Amino acid sequence: RGMTAHHGEMTQFFARQWLDMLSPANLGLANPEVQQRTLQRGGVNLIDGAANALDAWRRKQGLPPLQPPAQQFRPGIEVALTPGRVVHRNALVELIQYTPTTPTVFAEPVFIVPSWIMKYYILDLSPHNSLVRWLVAQGHTVFILSWHNPDEGDALLDMADYLALGVFDPLAAIARLLPDQAVHAAGYCLGGTLLSLAAAALARPGRIERAECLPTLRSVTLLAAETDFSEPGEMGVLIDESQVALLEDMMAERGFLSGAQMAGSFSYLHSRELVWSQANRRFWLGEPDQPNDLMAWNADSTRMPATMHSEYLRRCYLHNQIAEGRFPVEGRPVSLADISLPMFVVGTEKDHVSPWKSVYKILRLCDTEICFVLTNGGHNAGIVSEPGHPHRHYAMTTRSADGPWQGPAQWQAEAPTFDGSWWTAWHGWLLARGSGHRVPGRVPPVQAGLGPAPGRHVFECYAD
């Protein structure tokens, strides 16, 4: 009694961390499963575990492991294989246009803004689960951003730079390539948060600078993207005034937040599965890592520039400026209520990064038509949910413009559910909101100095 809600959540979070750490399963040879494995293998599992521990240490020091992985997932070789070309590059992003695989394509292209926390190819993993490849196969012209991995020289990049160079400049490039053509815009995670700001700025009275150079948006899709940060779930436990001040001091030393620091925080949101169970399996049971494409992508982390990251945490998490209509773009605050475009919004049931009930709050912030989808899975696996993947389902409803508010619990209880992948529902939704026209397949132009997909930004890796 008398404790703030935030500190109550912190107490629960860290109590769970301690309980997970002190689980009998983590007591090495006291674990019955470890005892049985040690007897079966004559202790060889402990030798293998020591080798795994040595390799883990070498990776932390920036050294190559002594035991190479059984299978590698390298961009352009095993993952990020969809054919295309870089058609535009600036100091922060590369814009990739993919090669059509159908004779004709839908008139409106799809422009995707991924999160800048990780590499873009979460949406172009292996050929069987690549959202980009699937969209191209359905007849869409697809553009996607590949973010530059910041270093010390990028410390002063801020949110305005990410908007200008990460959304408006690529949109202008698309307008030059496809004149007078409206665009379906989609954003994933932080990319969706950024896209929502851009869409609100484009919709408000008094257009932004260079607005005449930008294409018209036909629709906006947000995938696991928050716009109201008042209830960010377990992420909120890690973000308060003191924590942000600590992060700012850490970033001031080097000009960025390292990928390893950020990945560690995310791992402890699922510590039982991502920390302790993995440690037990690797170091006591002696089992080698069995990487898959999603795990390999997850380990390919990127950095966050100090100024931008501080501004993002303060404006969004601490002060919730987007939801309250106080986030400035080009010196003037924007309001999501200005967006009149149809929206397709996806939340995932087990999302600890962007909890679906937080994602759902955009229905209170926008009066436009919104199709809301809740799919099973987590922040990444729920989005990478290709047709044919077993045990996939989703709930979906469309609220009309100015439709009544319905709380998330009531929505979940009443929304119809469907088996299969939400990708097919999104494809149908895009067609219904498009012009219906088809044009000859658009082959990406060959431009000097740019080269084929996946481009060069995706290979920027720095030892942190």
Side-chain angles (χ1 to χ4, degrees):
R1 198 168 82 90
M3 180 181 285
T4 66
H6 173 68
H7 286 92
E9 292 169 354
M10 287 183 66
T11 302
Q12 293 176 4
F13 178 81
F14 286 106
R16 190 176 72 250
Q17 299 299 322
W18 278 97
L19 288 172
D20 287 346
M21 181 180 69
L22 296 173
S23 167
N26 298 329
L27 298 180
L29 289 172
N31 182 332
E33 186 180 10
V34 175
Q35 292 178 9
Q36 184 179 17
R37 182 69 59 86
T38 303
L39 289 173
Q40 289 174 344
R41 300 194 62 196
V44 174
N45 59 298
L46 301 180
I47 298 174
D48 291 342
N52 291 339
L54 177 60
D55 273 352
W57 177 84
R58 289 178 62 87
R59 289 191 187 94
K60 286 187 176 181
Q61 310 309 312
L63 301 172
L66 298 176
Q67 306 174 96
Q71 183 176 1
Q72 299 187 66
F73 295 94
R74 296 162 294 183
I77 301 176
E78 289 87 12
V79 293
L81 291 174
T82 305
R85 297 195 66 84
V86 177
V87 294
H88 179 68
R89 179 185 293 131
N90 60 36
L92 191 58
V93 299
E94 291 175 323
L95 179 66
I96 299 172
Q97 179 184 350
Y98 290 95
T99 304
T101 57
T102 55
T104 62
V105 296
F106 299 107
E108 294 82 7
V110 177
F111 168 55
I112 303 176
V113 182
S115 171
W116 58 81
I117 286 182
M118 303 293 285
K119 301 291 178 66
Y120 84 92
Y121 64 90
I122 176 67
L123 301 176
D124 187 24
L125 284 172
S126 303
H128 74 279
N129 61 0
S130 166
L131 175 59
V132 165
R133 182 179 289 257
W134 187 85
L135 286 171
V136 170
Q138 308 314 303
H140 294 282
T141 300
V142 179
F143 293 86
I144 198 168
L145 298 183
S146 177
W147 294 96
H148 163 58
N149 194 359
D151 59 19
E152 293 87 347
D154 301 307
L156 298 181
L157 290 174
D158 59 14
M159 287 291 288
D161 295 315
Y162 271 68
L163 270 169
L165 298 175
V167 181
F168 297 139
D169 186 53
L171 280 173
I174 293 174
R176 291 192 295 270
L177 291 167
L178 307 177
D180 302 318
Q181 182 59 66
V183 173
H184 292 298
Y188 177 34
C189 187
L190 288 185
T193 304
L194 192 72
L195 178 62
S196 68
L197 288 170
L202 289 169
R204 71 186 176 188
R207 301 291 296 280
I208 67 166
E209 294 180 12
R210 301 180 302 134
E212 66 279 0
C213 301
L214 303 180
T216 301
L217 297 186
R218 177 76 72 173
S219 70
V220 173
T221 295
L222 304 180
L223 309 177
E226 289 179 285
T227 51
D228 185 321
F229 292 79
S230 59
E231 295 179 292
E234 291 184 345
M235 280 296 295
V237 175
L238 306 177
I239 302 172
D240 58 21
E241 184 66 43
S242 63
Q243 288 293 318
V244 172
L246 174 62
L247 284 172
E248 288 171 339
D249 290 343
M250 293 168 59
M251 292 188 294
E253 297 178 3
R254 304 178 69 184
F256 56 81
L257 183 71
S258 75
Q261 291 169 316
M262 193 156 40
S265 298
F266 285 129
S267 293
Y268 274 92
L269 295 178
H270 291 279
S271 61
R272 187 178 304 171
E273 296 85 4
L274 299 181
V275 179
W276 305 116
S277 294
Q278 286 192 13
N280 185 66
R281 177 174 52 78
R282 292 171 179 169
F283 307 142
W284 290 104
L285 298 177
E287 297 178 1
D289 288 332
Q290 298 292 337
N292 57 36
D293 51 7
L294 192 57
M295 291 172 59
W297 166 84
N298 195 55
D300 191 9
S301 57
T302 59
R303 295 166 162 180
M304 299 274 271
T307 301
M308 183 281 299
H309 193 38
S310 173
E311 184 182 7
Y312 166 70
L313 292 177
R314 289 190 175 277
R315 290 189 183 279
C316 295
Y317 279 95
L318 295 187
H319 304 305
N320 201 23
Q321 289 187 354
I322 299 177
E324 295 181 5
R326 296 188 291 112
F327 198 107
V329 176
E330 295 188 352
R332 293 188 294 136
V334 297
S335 171
L336 298 186
D338 288 335
I339 299 175
S340 59
L341 300 168
M343 303 183 74
F344 189 92
V345 181
V346 179
T348 64
E349 291 177 349
K350 298 180 180 179
D351 199 328
H352 289 255
V353 178
S354 303
W356 80 264
K357 291 181 181 179
S358 183
V359 173
Y360 181 85
K361 288 187 175 186
I362 196 166
L363 276 82
R364 293 181 61 246
L365 302 176
C366 296
D367 295 328
T368 189
E369 173 198 307
I370 299 179
C371 178
F372 188 80
V373 173
L374 179 62
T375 183
N376 65 322
H379 185 71
N380 298 322
I383 299 302
V384 183
S385 180
E386 70 280 2
H389 193 295
H391 313 302
R392 292 299 186 186
H393 61 265
Y394 61 94
M396 180 175 71
T397 64
T398 297
R399 188 206 65 185
S400 61
D402 301 316
W405 164 252
Q406 188 178 36
Q410 182 183 3
W411 180 91
Q412 188 176 27
E414 298 178 3
T417 59
F418 307 88
D419 291 329
S421 169
W422 65 267
W423 293 9
T424 56
W426 185 36
H427 168 63
W429 185 90
L430 290 173
L431 298 192
R433 273 73 188 172
S435 65
H437 299 147
R438 294 186 74 106
V439 298
R442 300 153 169 150
V443 178
V446 177
Q447 300 187 38
L450 295 183
R456 72 185 188 195
H457 285 352
V458 75
F459 296 108
E460 295 175 332
C461 298
Y462 309 114
D464 290 329

